[in-house]
Amino acid sequence: MTERTGGCLCSAVRYTITTDKTGLGACSCGQCRRHTGSLLVTLDGPGEAITFTEGAPAVYPSSSWAERGFCRGCGSTLFYRVTAGRMAGWTAMAAGTLDSLAGLRIENEVFADGTGGAYVLAGAHERLTGEETMKTYSGAGA
Ligand SMILES: [Zn+2]
Ligand SMILES: [Zn+2]
């Protein structure tokens, strides 16, 4: 397992994520667009894979099945976490907050049409439109 470190812009919140995954997810749903100001690119894992080593993130309940973490000091988007259902605890850390993105690559993209084509991610990764995302992850939410 690889331990990666990350943190927010002001460094008040620091964390580690321990995983062998190297694939990143990307989401351009309306909520991710607003929470990040653009799109959310994440490295995910079960809740146990993530340890906050400094500070504590603020949490915003963005739906009945998920919450979004951020730094109350600098506002950095830190994570998306499922809070209900079979995926409860699953946490997707905002990849931009990792200290290094070395060895990581976008593997799948959901709500890929959420930008209306204003910007698109290059590469040969899997892309699902919003409609395809809802069919594939029915009930898992955005
Ligand atoms: Zn901060
Ligand atoms: Zn999203």
Side-chain angles (χ1 to χ4, degrees), residues 7-13 70-76 78:
C8 66
L9 180 59
C10 75
S11 299
V13 180
F70 59 98
C71 174
R72 74 186 80 239
C74 68
S76 296
L78 288 167

Side-chain angles (χ1 to χ4, degrees), residues 42-97:
T42 58
L43 179 64
D44 62 55
E48 312 86 76
I50 293 120
T51 303
F52 287 95
T53 53
E54 279 182 54
V59 172
Y60 171 71
S62 54
S63 69
S64 58
W65 64 82
E67 62 189 13
R68 291 169 188 269
F70 59 98
C71 174
R72 74 186 80 239
C74 68
S76 296
T77 296
L78 288 167
F79 63 82
Y80 168 88
R81 178 186 287 144
V82 178
T83 56
R86 64 187 164 81
M87 294 293 286
W90 179 83
T91 304
M93 299 305 293
T97 63

Side-chain angles (χ1 to χ4, degrees), residues 12 21 45 49 55 61-62 65 75 77 92 97 109 111 119 131-132 138:
K21 287 186 76 166
S62 54
W65 64 82
T77 296
T97 63
E109 186 178 358
F111 292 93
Y119 43 89
E131 193 180 328
E132 290 165 343
S138 179

Side-chain angles (χ1 to χ4, degrees), residues 27-29 32 68 111 142:
C27 184
S28 295
C29 78
C32 287
R68 291 169 188 269
F111 292 93

Side-chain angles (χ1 to χ4, degrees), residues 24-28 39-42 106 108-112 121 125:
L24 303 176
C27 184
S28 295
L39 77 168
L40 183 61
V41 178
T42 58
I106 287 180
N108 76 302
E109 186 178 358
V110 295
F111 292 93
L121 294 174
H125 57 270

